[in-house]
Each structure stands twice: as C-alpha cells, then as structure tokens.
Amino acid sequence: MHRKIKLALAAATTIGALGALVLVPGQLALSADHLDPPARTDPAVDPTPDFDTDIADLYAFYDDTNLYLIETWGGPAATNLAGFFDPKMVHTINISTAAPATTPEISISFRFGVGATPREQGIQLTGLPGVNGPLVGPLEQILSKDGVRVFSGLRDDPFFFDAQGLKDSRATGVLSIKNTRDRFAGLNASATVIEIPRSRLGGTKLDLWVTTARLGGQL
Amino acid sequence: MNTIASTATRRSLFAATSLALALALSACGGGGGDNGGGNVSVTPTPSPSPSPSPSPSQSPTSRNVSACLSQVIPGTGGATPASLVIPDTIKLDLTQPAGFPNGRRLEDPVIDITLAVLLLDMTKHSPALLASLPLNPAANDKPFLSTFPFLAPPQGTPPLSTGTGTSFAFQTEPTSAFVRVDREGQPAVATALVGAALRNAYNDANPSDDVAGVFVPEFTNQLTLIHNGLADDLIALGLTPCSK
C-alpha cells in the first residue's frame, strides 16, 4: 500500500519536475569533459571544433606496483573515423606529489608525428619519471622504456551515461532517461594509457590534471 | 574504509528509481551546447550562436548552497565537494582504497556520485544513493580489459594507424609555444558548475587560480541556480537537499 502511494507520488512529481525543468537555468549538462569548452570543441557551437585537443576523460588508479593514467579525447566519435592525433598539439598530464597541490612535480607531455605516410603515426612522450629521454614509438602498440609502459591509439569511449534520455525528456516533457541506454555506447575515443611504477612517484598523495594546447591556438 | 564507488550496491526499488530519475532530470536543466549528447562528426552543423550564460537569480527565496560545498562526504576521510574541486584536480591517496573520489577508475559511476553529493544532504543520504539504483547505465557497453591498456578495442572498423619503428616527424617547438585549449581534473566540474560565459576562462586557468578562489563565486552561483529550481522537488520526493 505504502509503496503504491509512493509510486503514484513519484509519477506525479516527475511530471511536475519536468514542467519546472525548462526553467532551471543551471548548467548541469552531463559529460565528463567531452565537448568542453563548447566555443572551442562542440560542433553545435563552434564551426571548427578542435576534436584533437578536446579532453574527454582523465582516469587515475593503481595497484600494488603501478600507477595507471588514462586520458581520452576526441570522443564520442563515430566508428568510421580515425583517431585524432594531429601533430600540431600537445597533451600534458600533471601530477603533484607534494604540497602545494597546484604545482606538478611530474609533467608528462606527449605529441604525435607521422612517418612515411600520413597513416603511419607515432607518439613522443617526455617527462616520464625515471625514463631516460623521450619515449617514442608507433600508435596502436604497447611501448615500454626504462620500466614505464605506454599505449596510445583509438579505443572504445569508456564513459557511460544516458545523455540522449535527458535530451529527449527536455524536448518532449516525457521522462525517458533509461539506465539501459548509454550515449557513449558504440562510439570511440582517442586515448593514451600510461603505466608508471609507484616507486617513481616520490609521494603517496597525488593531485592530477590534464591540459591540451595547440600551436597557434584552437582551430 | 570503503570508497563510495565500491559500496554502491544495487537495489531494485522501482519507486526509488523513479524518484531519482525525476531528481536528476530536473538537475540537468539549461545548457547551451550538447555536452555528451553531441557526437564527434566530420561535418559539423553549427547553430547560430552559443547560448549566453543566464544570470543568477537573486530572488528573496534564493537557496543557500554553502552547506552543499562544505559538507563532509561520508567514506572519504573528510573530503568535501569544495575540497575535491578546489583545486580542480583528481585526488588520489595511494594509501587508501582506489575508487572515485579517491582517484577515478574506469568503472566508477562518477556522474551519479557527483549528482548525489552536490544535491543531497550527506548527513541524511548516502553519496552512493543514485549509483545504487543505478540512475544511469551502471557500466560501459564494452567490458574493460583486466590488464594494460584496460580500454576496450575500438568499435566498428575505423582506420587505424599502421606506424612501426621510431622514425616519425614531430613538431619541435617547446610545450610553452602551444596555446591552451582544454583542461580537466575532476569529471564534470566545468560542465556542471561553470556557466557558458566562463567556460573558456575556466579551461585557460590553472589549479593555482582555483585555489585563489577565482571560480568560487561561479560555483556558488551555478549551484544556487540548480537548487533554486530543485529544492522543492527534492523535498516533495522525500529527499533532503543540502541547500537551506
């Protein structure tokens, strides 16, 4: 009995909330960082969106031995598209391992280059802790040097969320968010994955952030 | 101590799901660009102009969201929403269990957790409330790999790089010669708590600017707007908002 009442209440309130929804001006647009900032990276706003520098997500986790960093960008991308590895940009993953949290003790930068043909692409990373000089190698392969491993290439976009349900709900006034629908499903993103031995970090309390930049500024 | 992400246990309470759906849906109002809803495309079709950032309402009934930013998030060892986003960096303590907001794993339901801690009174609700339903899809559509490089292979049949060896032509300019386009620390901070008018500035800024308090008024304004529209709905749904 109580549960039925609650259900009815929920349904009624849902409709009421939808009515008020349009009036809520807060920008709780749900993405991790995909298509942000809109004026530079969102095709709905910018006629020349800079997908190569559009950070999608940053992940940081660890096990007993290693710290793992994953940056994705240029997503969610249709599955017929190549990855976004423009040579004229640089990505930098910053890690502060000691106070203050705002100054990185470790800054790992990477950029991309091409070989004999445009499709032959490589990555160059600098600032990897404990690695002597830059790490250079082809995309789509696991690279290693001085105890650090790197993979860069096109992968499945790992983020999950029903953005379409939100969009439909707002447009129609009918609640249609589903936890069975994922806006990022079936789409790809460009990615760089880095494995660093924990012993290289010099600290256990980390602050991490990533930035992207382009020669001459955004497209 | 368990992390929020790892303690998100599933329940099958349809009523609770409906409540949470209404809640989160309401929380997602506004927005100019189609963040997360827009697909990367090779033939973009721009809209006429970006939507301006709305001005914060200063009505007498305006909610006070200071508690939302300063409330301690259970299970985090004392972290608050403010301490997690100022500065806007992922915090990872290698002596504590991994899982958002202690770092970020691929499988963590970061949006549901973020919504909960920004909207709800953490003395009355769990930060895992929405994730435990779950509100959004609970997992990626493709399973992650258990070993490096963890990400699932690309879907479809996209053209992949075919490079070999180490002979590639790289730009030789120093990093300092490149111009900032984007930055990210914690997921969804820029998209949830920064209005359209300040998005470029936010992405051009650094964690030192965050600590200097440059964006605290904006965080407060945006969160106030959200709560001004939502507080009544949250209360009607039997939930306690963190705003007063």
Side-chain angles (χ1 to χ4, degrees), chain A residues 10-35:
Chain A
T13 315
T14 295
I15 292 162
L18 281 167
L21 170 66
V22 213
L23 302 176
V24 179
Q27 287 225 318
L28 206 48
L30 288 178
S31 75
D33 204 81
H34 304 71
L35 309 181

Tab-separated table of all heavy atoms in Angstrom, chain A residues 10-35:
chain	number	residue	atom	x	y	z
A	10	ALA	N	5.557	9.554	-6.981
A	10	ALA	CA	6.757	9.743	-7.797
A	10	ALA	C	6.382	10.127	-9.221
A	10	ALA	O	6.967	11.026	-9.809
A	10	ALA	CB	7.587	8.472	-7.790
A	11	ALA	N	5.380	9.449	-9.754
A	11	ALA	CA	4.973	9.737	-11.130
A	11	ALA	C	4.450	11.165	-11.241
A	11	ALA	O	4.814	11.906	-12.150
A	11	ALA	CB	3.903	8.739	-11.563
A	12	ALA	N	3.603	11.544	-10.279
A	12	ALA	CA	3.032	12.893	-10.312
A	12	ALA	C	4.130	13.946	-10.179
A	12	ALA	O	4.161	14.940	-10.899
A	12	ALA	CB	2.023	13.047	-9.181
A	13	THR	N	5.028	13.692	-9.271
A	13	THR	CA	6.091	14.667	-9.055
A	13	THR	C	7.020	14.742	-10.247
A	13	THR	O	7.558	15.783	-10.576
A	13	THR	CB	6.901	14.296	-7.797
A	13	THR	OG1	5.991	13.943	-6.775
A	13	THR	CG2	7.748	15.457	-7.358
A	14	THR	N	7.175	13.623	-10.900
A	14	THR	CA	8.027	13.609	-12.083
A	14	THR	C	7.515	14.593	-13.124
A	14	THR	O	8.261	15.375	-13.693
A	14	THR	CB	8.060	12.194	-12.687
A	14	THR	OG1	8.680	11.331	-11.751
A	14	THR	CG2	8.831	12.193	-13.977
A	15	ILE	N	6.212	14.559	-13.334
A	15	ILE	CA	5.637	15.458	-14.332
A	15	ILE	C	5.806	16.906	-13.885
A	15	ILE	O	6.173	17.782	-14.660
A	15	ILE	CB	4.151	15.110	-14.544
A	15	ILE	CG1	4.067	13.728	-15.214
A	15	ILE	CG2	3.465	16.152	-15.386
A	15	ILE	CD1	2.741	13.056	-15.112
A	16	GLY	N	5.576	17.130	-12.592
A	16	GLY	CA	5.756	18.479	-12.077
A	16	GLY	C	7.184	18.954	-12.243
A	16	GLY	O	7.442	20.070	-12.669
A	17	ALA	N	8.094	18.068	-11.953
A	17	ALA	CA	9.505	18.424	-12.052
A	17	ALA	C	9.886	18.727	-13.489
A	17	ALA	O	10.683	19.615	-13.773
A	17	ALA	CB	10.365	17.281	-11.511
A	18	LEU	N	9.293	18.004	-14.420
A	18	LEU	CA	9.602	18.252	-15.823
A	18	LEU	C	9.127	19.629	-16.243
A	18	LEU	O	9.789	20.317	-17.004
A	18	LEU	CB	8.934	17.187	-16.700
A	18	LEU	CG	9.672	15.856	-16.730
A	18	LEU	CD1	8.799	14.790	-17.345
A	18	LEU	CD2	10.964	16.007	-17.494
A	19	GLY	N	7.958	20.012	-15.705
A	19	GLY	CA	7.454	21.337	-16.030
A	19	GLY	C	8.424	22.419	-15.581
A	19	GLY	O	8.659	23.394	-16.278
A	20	ALA	N	8.990	22.202	-14.418
A	20	ALA	CA	9.907	23.197	-13.867
A	20	ALA	C	11.287	23.097	-14.501
A	20	ALA	O	12.061	24.028	-14.473
A	20	ALA	CB	10.023	23.000	-12.356
A	21	LEU	N	11.539	21.959	-15.095
A	21	LEU	CA	12.871	21.676	-15.605
A	21	LEU	C	13.381	22.738	-16.564
A	21	LEU	O	14.503	23.195	-16.462
A	21	LEU	CB	12.850	20.309	-16.310
A	21	LEU	CG	14.079	19.942	-17.122
A	21	LEU	CD1	15.258	19.784	-16.179
A	21	LEU	CD2	13.821	18.650	-17.857
A	22	VAL	N	12.521	23.117	-17.482
A	22	VAL	CA	12.947	24.054	-18.504
A	22	VAL	C	13.355	25.393	-17.904
A	22	VAL	O	14.129	26.129	-18.490
A	22	VAL	CB	11.801	24.285	-19.508
A	22	VAL	CG1	12.362	24.529	-20.878
A	22	VAL	CG2	10.851	23.102	-19.513
A	23	LEU	N	12.822	25.658	-16.737
A	23	LEU	CA	13.094	26.948	-16.119
A	23	LEU	C	14.378	26.935	-15.300
A	23	LEU	O	14.849	27.966	-14.889
A	23	LEU	CB	11.923	27.337	-15.206
A	23	LEU	CG	10.566	27.412	-15.906
A	23	LEU	CD1	9.469	27.696	-14.900
A	23	LEU	CD2	10.593	28.484	-16.989
A	24	VAL	N	14.885	25.765	-15.071
A	24	VAL	CA	16.110	25.681	-14.275
A	24	VAL	C	17.295	26.056	-15.150
A	24	VAL	O	17.631	25.352	-16.087
A	24	VAL	CB	16.312	24.257	-13.719
A	24	VAL	CG1	17.606	24.190	-12.925
A	24	VAL	CG2	15.133	23.866	-12.846
A	25	PRO	N	17.915	27.175	-14.884
A	25	PRO	CA	18.972	27.622	-15.779
A	25	PRO	C	20.349	27.059	-15.462
A	25	PRO	O	21.284	27.306	-16.181
A	25	PRO	CB	18.955	29.139	-15.584
A	25	PRO	CG	18.412	29.333	-14.212
A	25	PRO	CD	17.597	28.140	-13.849
A	26	GLY	N	20.456	26.295	-14.404
A	26	GLY	CA	21.782	25.763	-14.077
A	26	GLY	C	22.314	24.881	-15.188
A	26	GLY	O	21.558	24.180	-15.840
A	27	GLN	N	23.602	24.911	-15.368
A	27	GLN	CA	24.192	24.170	-16.480
A	27	GLN	C	24.746	22.840	-16.021
A	27	GLN	O	25.936	22.618	-16.028
A	27	GLN	CB	25.297	24.990	-17.098
A	27	GLN	CG	24.753	26.139	-17.897
A	27	GLN	CD	25.441	26.270	-19.202
A	27	GLN	OE1	26.627	26.146	-19.284
A	27	GLN	NE2	24.700	26.499	-20.260
A	28	LEU	N	23.876	21.956	-15.614
A	28	LEU	CA	24.348	20.652	-15.213
A	28	LEU	C	24.289	19.708	-16.411
A	28	LEU	O	23.659	18.679	-16.396
A	28	LEU	CB	23.524	20.104	-14.053
A	28	LEU	CG	24.220	19.096	-13.158
A	28	LEU	CD1	25.595	19.603	-12.748
A	28	LEU	CD2	23.401	18.823	-11.930
A	29	ALA	N	24.893	20.162	-17.484
A	29	ALA	CA	24.975	19.314	-18.669
A	29	ALA	C	25.962	18.195	-18.351
A	29	ALA	O	27.075	18.442	-17.946
A	29	ALA	CB	25.454	20.117	-19.861
A	30	LEU	N	25.495	16.992	-18.536
A	30	LEU	CA	26.277	15.888	-18.022
A	30	LEU	C	27.236	15.280	-19.021
A	30	LEU	O	26.874	14.517	-19.875
A	30	LEU	CB	25.336	14.819	-17.493
A	30	LEU	CG	24.649	15.231	-16.202
A	30	LEU	CD1	23.694	14.157	-15.753
A	30	LEU	CD2	25.661	15.511	-15.129
A	31	SER	N	28.455	15.634	-18.897
A	31	SER	CA	29.529	14.924	-19.567
A	31	SER	C	30.713	15.062	-18.641
A	31	SER	O	30.699	15.850	-17.708
A	31	SER	CB	29.837	15.523	-20.930
A	31	SER	OG	30.543	16.734	-20.780
A	32	ALA	N	31.716	14.271	-18.860
A	32	ALA	CA	32.899	14.413	-18.029
A	32	ALA	C	33.641	15.675	-18.445
A	32	ALA	O	33.865	16.571	-17.665
A	32	ALA	CB	33.780	13.188	-18.150
A	33	ASP	N	33.982	15.748	-19.688
A	33	ASP	CA	34.596	16.957	-20.232
A	33	ASP	C	34.451	16.981	-21.745
A	33	ASP	O	34.965	17.858	-22.410
A	33	ASP	CB	36.081	17.042	-19.840
A	33	ASP	CG	36.586	18.489	-19.870
A	33	ASP	OD1	36.340	19.212	-18.910
A	33	ASP	OD2	37.189	18.883	-20.882
A	34	HIS	N	33.738	16.001	-22.280
A	34	HIS	CA	33.537	15.935	-23.722
A	34	HIS	C	32.942	17.243	-24.227
A	34	HIS	O	32.019	17.788	-23.635
A	34	HIS	CB	32.573	14.815	-24.109
A	34	HIS	CG	32.954	13.443	-23.637
A	34	HIS	ND1	32.894	13.064	-22.330
A	34	HIS	CD2	33.391	12.357	-24.313
A	34	HIS	CE1	33.277	11.803	-22.209
A	34	HIS	NE2	33.585	11.343	-23.397
A	35	LEU	N	33.442	17.740	-25.330
A	35	LEU	CA	32.907	18.930	-25.995
A	35	LEU	C	32.942	20.179	-25.110
A	35	LEU	O	32.102	21.048	-25.208
A	35	LEU	CB	31.486	18.671	-26.516
A	35	LEU	CG	31.318	17.397	-27.364
A	35	LEU	CD1	29.885	17.248	-27.842
A	35	LEU	CD2	32.272	17.409	-28.555
